Amino acid sequence: MSAATLQSVNGMSDADRLAVGQPLVLPLSGPLAAAQPTPRPTTAPTAPAPTVGATAAPTVPPPAAPPAAPPGDVAAWPAEVARLINEVRAAHGLPPLAYHAALAQAAQGQANDCAGRGWCSHTGSDGSDAHARILRAGYTGSGWAECWAQSPTPQGAVDMWMDETPPNDPHRRTLLSAWLAEVGVGVAQTGWGYYFIADFGRP
């Protein structure tokens, strides 16, 4: 793999600036969906971990048990986040993302996991990355990506993802990807606001 590919996948603006212990994504094959570093926190910093872009589909693990749904008072919020994402996409001349139940299941599971441990990242408490969780939920598309945010409202989460300045705008690029086609959203309450997880895929 070329240094330029490694730099692009990891969203690095300067390949000469690496930190000790900095995780790097190494794409194995397939087109790149997006590389997602941890978003700017709105409260105390959380443990950083990247998500990764599309790879060749590995062996599919057994399906996981469905996670608990979001609480009743925010049960409509996953659909609202998807609506807001599609609203932003329409404003940029892009087609809407279809809502996918398996992606939503993976996203809700990660949201619940983040709420249970009290901090969030793209890495699950079991060490899983977004791709592993999406596969466990039964989604076997050709690509995937993930965004997460901590916010008091769905609009705040989408605004956080969109409020990035190129070239350091991995979440914004994910929302505006012409390659991704499907989305599922999970929401879980935390000490301040809610964790919003959006998992994206391509059939």
Side-chain angles (χ1 to χ4, degrees), residues 5-185:
T5 297
L6 187 64
Q7 183 175 345
S8 173
V9 168
N10 288 277
M12 297 164 22
S13 59
D14 184 352
D16 294 326
R17 303 190 86 176
L18 293 175
V20 173
Q22 175 182 344
L24 294 175
V25 175
L26 302 176
L28 301 179
S29 64
L32 173 65
Q36 303 295 331
T38 301
R40 295 187 305 264
T42 54
T43 58
T46 58
T51 188
V52 288
T55 64
T59 303
V60 178
D73 57 336
V74 297
W77 281 12
E80 175 64 4
V81 171
R83 186 191 71 78
L84 291 168
I85 290 172
N86 281 333
E87 189 176 81
V88 165
R89 288 174 62 83
H92 288 80
L94 293 165
L97 300 173
Y99 203 80
H100 197 286
L103 291 172
Q105 179 178 325
Q108 189 61 52
Q110 180 65 358
N112 292 346
D113 185 51
C114 289
R117 64 187 174 181
W119 59 273
C120 202
S121 79
H122 291 295
T123 303
S125 59
D126 62 355
S128 62
D129 62 13
H131 194 197
R133 294 189 297 272
I134 287 169
L135 285 173
R136 278 196 308 234
Y139 186 86
T140 56
S142 62
W144 53 277
E146 181 175 85
C147 292
W148 78 266
Q150 184 176 359
S151 168
T153 65
Q155 185 69 63
V158 174
D159 288 347
M160 184 181 299
W161 294 327
M162 289 299 295
D163 187 25
E164 294 180 331
T165 304
N168 299 314
D169 60 339
H171 302 95
R172 184 177 186 277
R173 284 185 281 120
T174 297
L175 267 60
L176 299 181
S177 170
W179 188 76
L180 296 167
E182 298 175 318
V183 67
V185 179

